[in-house]
Amino acid sequence: MSTTDADDRHRQDGYLLELAERLRAHGLPDDRVEATVMDLGAHLAECGAGDAEAEFGPAEEFARQLVPDTGVRAPADPGDEVETWRWTADAYVDEALLNRFGDEGWEVQRVDAVGRFVSHRDVAQPQRWEYRRELVTRGRADVDLRLAPDGWEACGDWLVYAYYKRPRAASLGPAARVDSPPPVPERSSFFSRKFYALLAVFAAALVVAGVVAAVGDGDASSGLGFVTGGIVGAAIPAAAAWTYQRRRTRRS
């Protein structure tokens, strides 16, 4: 990265931080501030704008444009207008659950660094959404182009998966509105029996290997060391995957 690019990035980050502070000062809830700043950062990266202030104007003036001019501070709790829910699921059930919750009016805005679907639902006019998951190993640009003509819009990435959404209003018309949306689910984690079975198989294999090592060496500590090493060995790629996704989310 050249010195000029680094300076532009520094000014851009400074502008977005200042904007976030001013949005909070105007009463915008933290989750709305976070989503707004991330969207604006993505816009700047996409259009290649080096000067955020030239693109959007002074931070204070732009913040007033982004916050509804009601004459009072925006509510600290967005629940009166927009419901927010973060949840996660394993790859065996995530697509089915996305469509189930999308049918209840939940729109996924992004996937965060720990793999949670950050979802919003308009309280006044909830609309149905549908989702699909695609396997991507070399970036999702080609997939974006392939799905865009059918109205699919990218809404998040997790490791080798890309998630897409589209409103069902195009196909259902007025029926796409959710007349009686159910309450926000109490759960935030949805893991299938297959996922737990896979964990059980891994744990059993690790224990068996540890016993075999202990019997072979005639020393129980050898088996314990083998099991500990296996756990650490599994934790390293998991930590690497989390770090990779966190950086990817920040870049996005």
Side-chain angles (χ1 to χ4, degrees), residues 179-202:
D179 293 326
S180 300
V184 180
E186 296 182 358
R187 295 172 57 190
S188 60
S189 299
F190 300 86
F191 297 110
S192 64
R193 293 181 179 179
K194 289 183 179 180
F195 178 77
Y196 286 119
L198 184 64
L199 289 182
V201 169
F202 172 77

PDB file of all heavy atoms in Angstrom, residues 179-202:
ATOM      1  N   ASP A 179     -48.732 -10.475   8.181  1.00  0.00           N
ATOM      2  CA  ASP A 179     -49.801  -9.802   8.918  1.00  0.00           C
ATOM      3  C   ASP A 179     -49.677  -9.963  10.427  1.00  0.00           C
ATOM      4  O   ASP A 179     -49.937  -9.028  11.179  1.00  0.00           O
ATOM      5  CB  ASP A 179     -51.163 -10.343   8.455  1.00  0.00           C
ATOM      6  CG  ASP A 179     -51.460  -9.964   7.007  1.00  0.00           C
ATOM      7  OD1 ASP A 179     -51.053  -8.865   6.601  1.00  0.00           O
ATOM      8  OD2 ASP A 179     -52.072 -10.779   6.300  1.00  0.00           O
ATOM      9  N   SER A 180     -49.296 -11.157  10.880  1.00  0.00           N
ATOM     10  CA  SER A 180     -49.181 -11.400  12.325  1.00  0.00           C
ATOM     11  C   SER A 180     -47.845 -12.064  12.611  1.00  0.00           C
ATOM     12  O   SER A 180     -47.775 -13.284  12.818  1.00  0.00           O
ATOM     13  CB  SER A 180     -50.341 -12.289  12.808  1.00  0.00           C
ATOM     14  OG  SER A 180     -51.584 -11.680  12.552  1.00  0.00           O
ATOM     15  N   PRO A 181     -46.760 -11.284  12.618  1.00  0.00           N
ATOM     16  CA  PRO A 181     -45.434 -11.880  12.833  1.00  0.00           C
ATOM     17  C   PRO A 181     -45.308 -12.450  14.239  1.00  0.00           C
ATOM     18  O   PRO A 181     -45.769 -11.839  15.213  1.00  0.00           O
ATOM     19  CB  PRO A 181     -44.476 -10.705  12.636  1.00  0.00           C
ATOM     20  CG  PRO A 181     -45.304  -9.496  12.908  1.00  0.00           C
ATOM     21  CD  PRO A 181     -46.685  -9.827  12.436  1.00  0.00           C
ATOM     22  N   PRO A 182     -44.720 -13.615  14.355  1.00  0.00           N
ATOM     23  CA  PRO A 182     -44.496 -14.184  15.693  1.00  0.00           C
ATOM     24  C   PRO A 182     -43.454 -13.377  16.445  1.00  0.00           C
ATOM     25  O   PRO A 182     -42.707 -12.600  15.845  1.00  0.00           O
ATOM     26  CB  PRO A 182     -43.999 -15.610  15.384  1.00  0.00           C
ATOM     27  CG  PRO A 182     -43.407 -15.506  14.019  1.00  0.00           C
ATOM     28  CD  PRO A 182     -44.221 -14.491  13.285  1.00  0.00           C
ATOM     29  N   PRO A 183     -43.387 -13.530  17.759  1.00  0.00           N
ATOM     30  CA  PRO A 183     -42.404 -12.771  18.533  1.00  0.00           C
ATOM     31  C   PRO A 183     -40.979 -13.175  18.188  1.00  0.00           C
ATOM     32  O   PRO A 183     -40.735 -14.202  17.552  1.00  0.00           O
ATOM     33  CB  PRO A 183     -42.745 -13.127  19.986  1.00  0.00           C
ATOM     34  CG  PRO A 183     -43.457 -14.434  19.896  1.00  0.00           C
ATOM     35  CD  PRO A 183     -44.214 -14.397  18.609  1.00  0.00           C
ATOM     36  N   VAL A 184     -40.032 -12.362  18.616  1.00  0.00           N
ATOM     37  CA  VAL A 184     -38.612 -12.675  18.410  1.00  0.00           C
ATOM     38  C   VAL A 184     -38.296 -14.009  19.082  1.00  0.00           C
ATOM     39  O   VAL A 184     -38.640 -14.203  20.255  1.00  0.00           O
ATOM     40  CB  VAL A 184     -37.720 -11.570  19.004  1.00  0.00           C
ATOM     41  CG1 VAL A 184     -36.239 -11.906  18.788  1.00  0.00           C
ATOM     42  CG2 VAL A 184     -38.050 -10.228  18.387  1.00  0.00           C
ATOM     43  N   PRO A 185     -37.681 -14.940  18.373  1.00  0.00           N
ATOM     44  CA  PRO A 185     -37.366 -16.240  18.992  1.00  0.00           C
ATOM     45  C   PRO A 185     -36.504 -16.076  20.235  1.00  0.00           C
ATOM     46  O   PRO A 185     -35.630 -15.208  20.293  1.00  0.00           O
ATOM     47  CB  PRO A 185     -36.610 -16.983  17.885  1.00  0.00           C
ATOM     48  CG  PRO A 185     -37.110 -16.369  16.616  1.00  0.00           C
ATOM     49  CD  PRO A 185     -37.325 -14.916  16.938  1.00  0.00           C
ATOM     50  N   GLU A 186     -36.775 -16.885  21.233  1.00  0.00           N
ATOM     51  CA  GLU A 186     -35.993 -16.829  22.464  1.00  0.00           C
ATOM     52  C   GLU A 186     -34.609 -17.432  22.283  1.00  0.00           C
ATOM     53  O   GLU A 186     -33.669 -17.062  22.962  1.00  0.00           O
ATOM     54  CB  GLU A 186     -36.732 -17.560  23.587  1.00  0.00           C
ATOM     55  CG  GLU A 186     -38.070 -16.906  23.963  1.00  0.00           C
ATOM     56  CD  GLU A 186     -38.750 -17.635  25.102  1.00  0.00           C
ATOM     57  OE1 GLU A 186     -38.199 -18.668  25.563  1.00  0.00           O
ATOM     58  OE2 GLU A 186     -39.827 -17.182  25.531  1.00  0.00           O
ATOM     59  N   ARG A 187     -34.489 -18.386  21.350  1.00  0.00           N
ATOM     60  CA  ARG A 187     -33.197 -19.022  21.106  1.00  0.00           C
ATOM     61  C   ARG A 187     -32.372 -18.195  20.130  1.00  0.00           C
ATOM     62  O   ARG A 187     -32.899 -17.446  19.314  1.00  0.00           O
ATOM     63  CB  ARG A 187     -33.390 -20.420  20.524  1.00  0.00           C
ATOM     64  CG  ARG A 187     -34.058 -21.406  21.446  1.00  0.00           C
ATOM     65  CD  ARG A 187     -34.375 -22.699  20.703  1.00  0.00           C
ATOM     66  NE  ARG A 187     -33.176 -23.313  20.114  1.00  0.00           N
ATOM     67  CZ  ARG A 187     -33.217 -24.333  19.259  1.00  0.00           C
ATOM     68  NH1 ARG A 187     -34.393 -24.833  18.902  1.00  0.00           N
ATOM     69  NH2 ARG A 187     -32.103 -24.843  18.786  1.00  0.00           N
ATOM     70  N   SER A 188     -31.049 -18.355  20.218  1.00  0.00           N
ATOM     71  CA  SER A 188     -30.156 -17.697  19.272  1.00  0.00           C
ATOM     72  C   SER A 188     -29.189 -18.690  18.632  1.00  0.00           C
ATOM     73  O   SER A 188     -28.389 -18.303  17.784  1.00  0.00           O
ATOM     74  CB  SER A 188     -29.367 -16.583  19.963  1.00  0.00           C
ATOM     75  OG  SER A 188     -28.586 -17.113  21.031  1.00  0.00           O
ATOM     76  N   SER A 189     -29.245 -19.951  19.028  1.00  0.00           N
ATOM     77  CA  SER A 189     -28.371 -20.983  18.469  1.00  0.00           C
ATOM     78  C   SER A 189     -29.217 -22.170  18.025  1.00  0.00           C
ATOM     79  O   SER A 189     -30.070 -22.648  18.780  1.00  0.00           O
ATOM     80  CB  SER A 189     -27.339 -21.450  19.499  1.00  0.00           C
ATOM     81  OG  SER A 189     -26.507 -20.375  19.894  1.00  0.00           O
ATOM     82  N   PHE A 190     -28.977 -22.635  16.810  1.00  0.00           N
ATOM     83  CA  PHE A 190     -29.731 -23.751  16.261  1.00  0.00           C
ATOM     84  C   PHE A 190     -28.748 -24.744  15.641  1.00  0.00           C
ATOM     85  O   PHE A 190     -28.230 -24.518  14.546  1.00  0.00           O
ATOM     86  CB  PHE A 190     -30.712 -23.259  15.196  1.00  0.00           C
ATOM     87  CG  PHE A 190     -31.724 -22.268  15.702  1.00  0.00           C
ATOM     88  CD1 PHE A 190     -31.420 -20.918  15.751  1.00  0.00           C
ATOM     89  CD2 PHE A 190     -32.969 -22.698  16.136  1.00  0.00           C
ATOM     90  CE1 PHE A 190     -32.342 -19.998  16.220  1.00  0.00           C
ATOM     91  CE2 PHE A 190     -33.903 -21.787  16.607  1.00  0.00           C
ATOM     92  CZ  PHE A 190     -33.586 -20.437  16.655  1.00  0.00           C
ATOM     93  N   PHE A 191     -28.483 -25.810  16.369  1.00  0.00           N
ATOM     94  CA  PHE A 191     -27.555 -26.830  15.892  1.00  0.00           C
ATOM     95  C   PHE A 191     -28.304 -28.153  15.744  1.00  0.00           C
ATOM     96  O   PHE A 191     -29.062 -28.556  16.623  1.00  0.00           O
ATOM     97  CB  PHE A 191     -26.377 -26.988  16.850  1.00  0.00           C
ATOM     98  CG  PHE A 191     -25.532 -25.741  16.955  1.00  0.00           C
ATOM     99  CD1 PHE A 191     -25.533 -24.977  18.111  1.00  0.00           C
ATOM    100  CD2 PHE A 191     -24.747 -25.337  15.886  1.00  0.00           C
ATOM    101  CE1 PHE A 191     -24.769 -23.827  18.201  1.00  0.00           C
ATOM    102  CE2 PHE A 191     -23.981 -24.183  15.964  1.00  0.00           C
ATOM    103  CZ  PHE A 191     -23.989 -23.427  17.123  1.00  0.00           C
ATOM    104  N   SER A 192     -28.073 -28.812  14.624  1.00  0.00           N
ATOM    105  CA  SER A 192     -28.828 -30.009  14.278  1.00  0.00           C
ATOM    106  C   SER A 192     -28.265 -31.247  14.966  1.00  0.00           C
ATOM    107  O   SER A 192     -27.155 -31.249  15.506  1.00  0.00           O
ATOM    108  CB  SER A 192     -28.790 -30.209  12.768  1.00  0.00           C
ATOM    109  OG  SER A 192     -27.449 -30.445  12.339  1.00  0.00           O
ATOM    110  N   ARG A 193     -29.040 -32.325  14.907  1.00  0.00           N
ATOM    111  CA  ARG A 193     -28.580 -33.608  15.446  1.00  0.00           C
ATOM    112  C   ARG A 193     -27.356 -34.099  14.693  1.00  0.00           C
ATOM    113  O   ARG A 193     -26.454 -34.715  15.273  1.00  0.00           O
ATOM    114  CB  ARG A 193     -29.703 -34.636  15.363  1.00  0.00           C
ATOM    115  CG  ARG A 193     -30.888 -34.333  16.286  1.00  0.00           C
ATOM    116  CD  ARG A 193     -31.951 -35.415  16.173  1.00  0.00           C
ATOM    117  NE  ARG A 193     -33.075 -35.153  17.073  1.00  0.00           N
ATOM    118  CZ  ARG A 193     -34.144 -35.919  17.158  1.00  0.00           C
ATOM    119  NH1 ARG A 193     -34.244 -37.002  16.374  1.00  0.00           N
ATOM    120  NH2 ARG A 193     -35.126 -35.626  17.992  1.00  0.00           N
ATOM    121  N   LYS A 194     -27.308 -33.849  13.391  1.00  0.00           N
ATOM    122  CA  LYS A 194     -26.146 -34.263  12.605  1.00  0.00           C
ATOM    123  C   LYS A 194     -24.880 -33.569  13.092  1.00  0.00           C
ATOM    124  O   LYS A 194     -23.803 -34.172  13.146  1.00  0.00           O
ATOM    125  CB  LYS A 194     -26.370 -33.950  11.126  1.00  0.00           C
ATOM    126  CG  LYS A 194     -27.403 -34.833  10.447  1.00  0.00           C
ATOM    127  CD  LYS A 194     -27.501 -34.495   8.968  1.00  0.00           C
ATOM    128  CE  LYS A 194     -28.501 -35.391   8.266  1.00  0.00           C
ATOM    129  NZ  LYS A 194     -28.610 -35.076   6.811  1.00  0.00           N
ATOM    130  N   PHE A 195     -25.017 -32.294  13.451  1.00  0.00           N
ATOM    131  CA  PHE A 195     -23.862 -31.547  13.950  1.00  0.00           C
ATOM    132  C   PHE A 195     -23.371 -32.132  15.270  1.00  0.00           C
ATOM    133  O   PHE A 195     -22.168 -32.364  15.461  1.00  0.00           O
ATOM    134  CB  PHE A 195     -24.248 -30.079  14.134  1.00  0.00           C
ATOM    135  CG  PHE A 195     -23.150 -29.219  14.702  1.00  0.00           C
ATOM    136  CD1 PHE A 195     -22.103 -28.802  13.908  1.00  0.00           C
ATOM    137  CD2 PHE A 195     -23.181 -28.856  16.044  1.00  0.00           C
ATOM    138  CE1 PHE A 195     -21.086 -28.010  14.436  1.00  0.00           C
ATOM    139  CE2 PHE A 195     -22.173 -28.066  16.583  1.00  0.00           C
ATOM    140  CZ  PHE A 195     -21.127 -27.638  15.772  1.00  0.00           C
ATOM    141  N   TYR A 196     -24.314 -32.401  16.186  1.00  0.00           N
ATOM    142  CA  TYR A 196     -23.923 -32.980  17.467  1.00  0.00           C
ATOM    143  C   TYR A 196     -23.373 -34.399  17.286  1.00  0.00           C
ATOM    144  O   TYR A 196     -22.452 -34.812  17.998  1.00  0.00           O
ATOM    145  CB  TYR A 196     -25.106 -32.981  18.431  1.00  0.00           C
ATOM    146  CG  TYR A 196     -25.434 -31.622  18.990  1.00  0.00           C
ATOM    147  CD1 TYR A 196     -26.670 -31.018  18.763  1.00  0.00           C
ATOM    148  CD2 TYR A 196     -24.495 -30.932  19.748  1.00  0.00           C
ATOM    149  CE1 TYR A 196     -26.962 -29.764  19.265  1.00  0.00           C
ATOM    150  CE2 TYR A 196     -24.785 -29.669  20.266  1.00  0.00           C
ATOM    151  CZ  TYR A 196     -26.013 -29.095  20.016  1.00  0.00           C
ATOM    152  OH  TYR A 196     -26.295 -27.854  20.515  1.00  0.00           O
ATOM    153  N   ALA A 197     -23.936 -35.139  16.342  1.00  0.00           N
ATOM    154  CA  ALA A 197     -23.426 -36.485  16.064  1.00  0.00           C
ATOM    155  C   ALA A 197     -21.993 -36.417  15.558  1.00  0.00           C
ATOM    156  O   ALA A 197     -21.142 -37.240  15.928  1.00  0.00           O
ATOM    157  CB  ALA A 197     -24.314 -37.192  15.049  1.00  0.00           C
ATOM    158  N   LEU A 198     -21.712 -35.439  14.710  1.00  0.00           N
ATOM    159  CA  LEU A 198     -20.349 -35.272  14.207  1.00  0.00           C
ATOM    160  C   LEU A 198     -19.383 -34.948  15.335  1.00  0.00           C
ATOM    161  O   LEU A 198     -18.276 -35.493  15.391  1.00  0.00           O
ATOM    162  CB  LEU A 198     -20.340 -34.152  13.163  1.00  0.00           C
ATOM    163  CG  LEU A 198     -19.009 -33.889  12.459  1.00  0.00           C
ATOM    164  CD1 LEU A 198     -18.590 -35.108  11.638  1.00  0.00           C
ATOM    165  CD2 LEU A 198     -19.124 -32.660  11.555  1.00  0.00           C
ATOM    166  N   LEU A 199     -19.800 -34.084  16.257  1.00  0.00           N
ATOM    167  CA  LEU A 199     -18.958 -33.775  17.414  1.00  0.00           C
ATOM    168  C   LEU A 199     -18.734 -35.016  18.269  1.00  0.00           C
ATOM    169  O   LEU A 199     -17.621 -35.255  18.772  1.00  0.00           O
ATOM    170  CB  LEU A 199     -19.607 -32.673  18.255  1.00  0.00           C
ATOM    171  CG  LEU A 199     -19.629 -31.258  17.667  1.00  0.00           C
ATOM    172  CD1 LEU A 199     -20.272 -30.304  18.668  1.00  0.00           C
ATOM    173  CD2 LEU A 199     -18.220 -30.784  17.329  1.00  0.00           C
ATOM    174  N   ALA A 200     -19.791 -35.825  18.439  1.00  0.00           N
ATOM    175  CA  ALA A 200     -19.670 -37.035  19.247  1.00  0.00           C
ATOM    176  C   ALA A 200     -18.699 -38.024  18.613  1.00  0.00           C
ATOM    177  O   ALA A 200     -17.889 -38.661  19.306  1.00  0.00           O
ATOM    178  CB  ALA A 200     -21.047 -37.668  19.436  1.00  0.00           C
ATOM    179  N   VAL A 201     -18.785 -38.167  17.295  1.00  0.00           N
ATOM    180  CA  VAL A 201     -17.870 -39.073  16.593  1.00  0.00           C
ATOM    181  C   VAL A 201     -16.431 -38.603  16.747  1.00  0.00           C
ATOM    182  O   VAL A 201     -15.521 -39.405  16.997  1.00  0.00           O
ATOM    183  CB  VAL A 201     -18.254 -39.167  15.100  1.00  0.00           C
ATOM    184  CG1 VAL A 201     -17.159 -39.881  14.301  1.00  0.00           C
ATOM    185  CG2 VAL A 201     -19.577 -39.901  14.937  1.00  0.00           C
ATOM    186  N   PHE A 202     -16.217 -37.310  16.616  1.00  0.00           N
ATOM    187  CA  PHE A 202     -14.871 -36.760  16.770  1.00  0.00           C
ATOM    188  C   PHE A 202     -14.349 -37.004  18.183  1.00  0.00           C
ATOM    189  O   PHE A 202     -13.198 -37.428  18.382  1.00  0.00           O
ATOM    190  CB  PHE A 202     -14.879 -35.258  16.473  1.00  0.00           C
ATOM    191  CG  PHE A 202     -13.568 -34.574  16.787  1.00  0.00           C
ATOM    192  CD1 PHE A 202     -12.488 -34.707  15.940  1.00  0.00           C
ATOM    193  CD2 PHE A 202     -13.442 -33.805  17.945  1.00  0.00           C
ATOM    194  CE1 PHE A 202     -11.276 -34.078  16.238  1.00  0.00           C
ATOM    195  CE2 PHE A 202     -12.242 -33.181  18.244  1.00  0.00           C
ATOM    196  CZ  PHE A 202     -11.159 -33.311  17.384  1.00  0.00           C
TER     197      PHE A 202
END
